[in-house]
């Protein structure tokens, strides 16, 4: 009997994709507790990602060392010339604030291994470049002073560390696997794992409260490295000890557990619907670029327009997600003109429309999205936001909305929008609608904003 019960339990858990034995004793948080811990993040919706490092000098992708099969020796010229003399993090923070961003995630170290803070555990750090000063503390202080929460990005990959084992994405990557193995025999990943723990301890003890941790990334499916190589469990345990409230991404290869990650991270595409994990809607944050690469890329000409970015933000929230929008500062330490124009454009829109973003999520299933629109919903205030992608001529039909709301207004100026549920009769002006539909009477002129929004006060 006992055995049957045990078997049943094991089957139940493995059906769920989670092996009960893998949940360590310290991972005791309930679903409700997790929701509470993540409440600020679910509310804030819009953050700024910052990719900054040595790769800002070549200005042709943060992966250039790999893309161009560059040796560490050749890459060192960027270290020798790193000197962002115009770096003024207060300006960055002000821009983030003006564009409505509520949190920031900063690359403390990217795959090249270069550290933007004065780590005790390496010489490959900003304080040894011509710039000579820590970049992280002033950045953290500046953003906090604007009321913006601070998160850290930390690369699991390190192409510079002498004990990080070579694999197929390690520049300059010895092609011959035999040669690679010979090299790797001299490398000890235990030392690297300890190095990561030491650095995370620094990052999570020397800069005050850190709200998000973006670890990047696992690739065991491609014959690369995964959670065992990093000791993800050990890292998460340490991180949770140091900053119990912190929100962690899902790139440590812990997707098979329900305790080893907080949110999923689709990037560079728009999910078709709210992403699910084992059949349940998961918290998600999509990180997106302005122009394709994350690091500053001088000659990239695929910049998204302000309109595309605003729509991207709304579409993300309409599917219950967060948007982490990336800026790649230049080697001089500023946001370039193209980035500034986009941030300002988003800010112009947010100033009048942030009510349809903060605290909002996907609309309840019984509200059918009208054609050419995106909807978001605030469950606390019970308001529904209709974002009109293509401004129609006078009438917007809301399918099945009859009796569901009592007032409607344009969000940009709070002007009333009248509505009717009756078919309008007349010899040549007969406008029909289905019985349960509501017709909004829109002004002919489209409001002069990037994306017009109608606010409905639900019953
Ligand atoms: C990918 C890339 C990296 C970038 C990150 C942002 O993992 O390797 O360059 O930092 O995505 O999410």
């Amino acid at each position: 009997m006992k055995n049957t019960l045990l078997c049943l339990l094991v089957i139940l858990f493995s059906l769920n994709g989670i092996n009960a034995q893998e949940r360590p004793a310290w991972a005791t948080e309930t679903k409700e507790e997790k929701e509470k811990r993540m409440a600020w993040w679910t509310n804030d919706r819009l953050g700024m990602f910052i990719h900054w490092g040595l790769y800002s000098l070549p200005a042709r992708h943060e992966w250039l060392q790999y893309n161009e099969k560059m040796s560490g020796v050749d890459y060192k010229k960027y270290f020798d010339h790193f000197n962002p003399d115009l770096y003024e993090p207060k300006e960055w923070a002000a821009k983030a604030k003006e564009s409505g961003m509520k949190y920031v995630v900063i690359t403390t170290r990217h795959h090249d291994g270069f550290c933007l803070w004065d780590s005790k555990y390496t010489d490959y750090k900003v304080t040894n470049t011509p710039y000579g000063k820590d970049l992280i503390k002033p950045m953290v202080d500046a953003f906090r002073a604007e009321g913006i929460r601070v998160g850290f990005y930390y690369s699991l990959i390190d192409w510079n560390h002498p004990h990080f084992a070579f694999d197929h994405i390690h520049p300059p990557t010895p092609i011959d696997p035999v040669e690679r193995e010979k090299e790797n025999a001299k490398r000890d990943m235990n030392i690297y794992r300890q190095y990561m723990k030491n650095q995370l301890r620094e990052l999570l003890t020397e800069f005050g409260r850190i709200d998000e941790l973006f670890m990047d990334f696992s690739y065991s499916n491609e014959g690369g490295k995964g959670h065992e190589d990093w000791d993800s469990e050990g890292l998460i345990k340490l991180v949770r000890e140091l900053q119990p409230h912190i929100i962690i991404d899902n790139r440590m290869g812990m997707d098979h557990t329900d305790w080893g990650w907080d949110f999923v991270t689709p990037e560079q595409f728009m999910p078709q619907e709210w992403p699910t994990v084992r059949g349940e809607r998961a918290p998600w944050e999509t990180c997106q670029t302005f122009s394709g690469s994350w690091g500053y890329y001088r000659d990239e000409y695929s910049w998204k327009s302000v309109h595309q970015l605003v729509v991207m933000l709304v579409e993300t929230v309409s599917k219950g997600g967060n948007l982490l929008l990336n800026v790649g500062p230049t080697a001089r330490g500023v946001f370039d003109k193209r980035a500034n124009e986009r941030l300002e454009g988003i800010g112009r829109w947010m100033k009048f429309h942030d009510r349809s973003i903060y605290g909002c999520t996907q609309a309840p299933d019984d509200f059918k999205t009208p054609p050419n629109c995106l909807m978001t919903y605030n469950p606390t205030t019970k308001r529904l936001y209709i974002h009109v992608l293509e401004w129609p001529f006078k009438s917007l039909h809301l399918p099945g909305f009859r009796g569901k709301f009592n007032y409607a207004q344009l969000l940009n100026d709070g002007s009333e929008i009248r509505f009717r549920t009756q078919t309008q009769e007349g010899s040549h002006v007969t406008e029909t609608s289905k019985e349960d539909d509501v017709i909004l009477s829109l002004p002919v002129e489209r409001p002069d904003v990037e994306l017009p929004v109608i606010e409905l006060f639900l019953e």
Side-chain angles (χ1 to χ4, degrees):
M1 178 66 190
K2 228 173 159 187
N3 275 349
T4 329
L5 247 175
L6 203 76
C7 269
L8 256 175
L9 269 175
V10 168
I11 289 171
L12 257 177
F13 273 110
S14 41
L15 270 181
N16 208 14
I18 301 165
N19 182 346
Q21 274 153 34
E22 284 181 32
R23 173 177 278 273
W26 54 266
T28 55
E29 191 181 46
T30 64
K31 215 174 143 196
E32 291 69 32
E33 284 165 343
K34 175 172 168 177
E35 256 169 45
K36 217 167 138 205
R37 177 166 57 82
M38 295 184 70
W40 71 264
W41 184 89
T42 313
N43 180 78
D44 287 357
R45 292 301 186 209
L46 178 60
M48 176 182 275
F49 215 174
I50 296 180
H51 274 69
W52 200 32
L54 299 182
Y55 44 79
S56 312
L57 278 76
R60 51 179 192 271
H61 209 282
E62 74 283 356
W63 274 68
L64 91 149
Q65 204 187 340
Y66 167 83
N67 293 343
E68 300 179 13
K69 301 211 179 322
M70 205 182 267
S71 70
V73 175
D74 286 343
Y75 194 73
K76 190 164 175 289
K77 62 179 174 239
Y78 305 123
F79 182 88
D80 293 338
H81 291 93
F82 188 79
N83 194 4
D85 57 328
L86 301 178
Y87 176 49
E88 184 38 86
K90 287 189 184 129
E91 278 174 19
W92 297 12
K95 283 182 207 293
K97 170 120 188 205
E98 274 160 36
S99 51
M101 288 159 167
K102 295 278 200 181
Y103 62 104
V104 64
V105 179
I106 308 161
T107 48
T108 55
R109 171 185 111 169
H110 204 259
H111 308 334
D112 61 8
F114 175 69
C115 296
L116 273 67
W117 80 103
D118 188 16
S119 174
K120 279 200 287 293
Y121 301 97
T122 182
D123 291 333
Y124 201 47
K125 57 182 174 182
V126 64
T127 43
N128 290 336
T129 66
Y131 184 69
K133 286 175 281 180
D134 163 47
L135 295 168
I136 297 296
K137 183 74 171 45
M139 209 183 312
V140 163
D141 289 346
F143 279 89
R144 282 210 193 103
E146 291 285 8
I148 295 173
R149 288 178 188 259
V150 173
F152 283 160
Y153 168 107
Y154 182 82
S155 173
L156 290 158
I157 299 165
D158 187 330
W159 296 329
N160 179 64
H161 197 283
H163 287 286
F164 182 89
F166 280 99
D167 58 39
H168 66 294
I169 61 164
H170 192 308
T173 310
I175 309 293
D176 175 24
V178 180
E179 204 182 306
R180 189 190 293 168
E181 283 322 302
K182 258 197 340 227
E183 255 316 302
N184 281 345
K186 296 180 231 151
R187 298 186 166 220
D188 180 357
M189 279 293 282
N190 279 319
I191 297 176
Y192 179 66
R193 281 186 279 272
Q194 189 55 46
Y195 175 69
M196 285 200 289
K197 289 195 180 109
N198 293 342
Q199 289 206 320
L200 280 171
R201 183 175 287 280
E202 281 182 332
L203 287 169
L204 300 178
T205 52
E206 292 174 15
F207 300 94
R209 182 186 163 104
I210 303 303
D211 281 296
E212 179 175 321
L213 185 64
F214 199 113
M215 304 287 284
D216 197 34
F217 61 83
S218 301
Y219 48 109
S220 48
N221 53 339
E222 306 156 26
K225 296 186 176 61
H227 68 96
E228 282 163 1
D229 300 287
W230 320 125
D231 179 23
S232 294
E233 184 179 331
L235 290 175
I236 296 169
K237 183 167 183 266
L238 172 75
V239 168
R240 293 244 180 267
E241 261 164 35
L242 299 174
Q243 303 251 2
H245 55 271
I246 209 165
I247 296 174
I248 311 179
D249 72 341
N250 73 329
R251 295 195 182 175
M252 297 175 82
M254 300 298 278
D255 286 355
H256 57 289
T257 74
D258 64 352
W259 51 268
W261 57 278
D262 288 323
F263 63 93
V264 300
T265 52
E267 72 172 60
Q268 303 267 31
F269 75 98
M270 177 56 66
Q272 215 186 342
E273 54 185 30
W274 191 324
T276 56
V277 173
R278 289 177 280 278
E280 265 190 60
R281 284 177 174 174
W284 65 286
E285 177 193 77
T286 181
C287 45
Q288 303 281 0
T289 59
F290 282 150
S291 62
S293 77
W294 301 90
Y296 176 64
Y297 199 129
R298 185 189 57 204
D299 302 334
E300 204 161 42
Y301 299 108
S302 48
W303 282 69
K304 298 169 187 75
S305 67
V306 171
H307 183 74
Q308 281 176 309
L309 294 163
V310 168
V311 171
M312 179 188 272
L313 169 62
V314 171
E315 188 166 357
T316 303
V317 178
S318 81
K319 295 168 183 173
N322 282 23
L323 175 63
L324 190 63
L325 205 47
N326 182 72
V327 182
T330 69
R332 298 290 302 276
V334 298
F335 294 177
D336 88 329
K337 185 164 171 261
R338 296 166 293 184
N340 283 331
E341 281 166 4
R342 273 134 191 105
L343 290 173
E344 284 155 21
I346 294 168
R348 262 195 311 278
W349 185 82
M350 282 293 276
K351 176 163 186 208
F352 296 100
H353 302 93
D354 61 8
R355 232 148 75 192
S356 78
I357 301 296
Y358 302 141
C360 288
T361 185
Q362 180 164 320
D365 291 343
D366 48 333
F367 288 93
K368 209 170 149 230
T369 311
N372 290 321
C373 293
L374 289 168
M375 296 200 301
T376 64
Y377 169 66
N378 186 320
T380 312
T381 60
K382 294 215 171 13
R383 294 188 198 175
L384 189 78
Y385 297 94
I386 302 179
H387 304 76
V388 188
L389 296 166
E390 223 15 89
W391 196 247
F393 172 51
K394 288 203 294 197
S395 303
L396 182 67
H397 291 250
L398 306 182
F401 275 53
R402 187 172 188 156
K404 289 188 171 164
F405 68 97
N406 54 45
Y407 191 75
Q409 62 184 10
L410 276 177
L411 193 51
N412 58 295
D413 63 358
S415 62
E416 181 183 8
I417 292 193
R418 288 187 283 181
F419 54 92
R420 57 191 192 276
T421 48
Q422 296 296 323
T423 296
Q424 188 169 295
E425 303 268 4
S427 59
H428 53 280
V429 289
T430 301
E431 189 181 26
T432 55
S433 75
K434 294 204 186 97
E435 211 189 312
D436 286 342
D437 290 3
V438 178
I439 308 176
L440 297 181
S441 305
L442 302 184
V444 172
E445 251 183 75
R446 179 190 186 276
D448 186 18
V449 293
E450 208 53 75
L451 179 59
V453 184
I454 297 160
E455 183 175 45
L456 298 187
F457 293 68
L458 300 191
E459 284 293 351

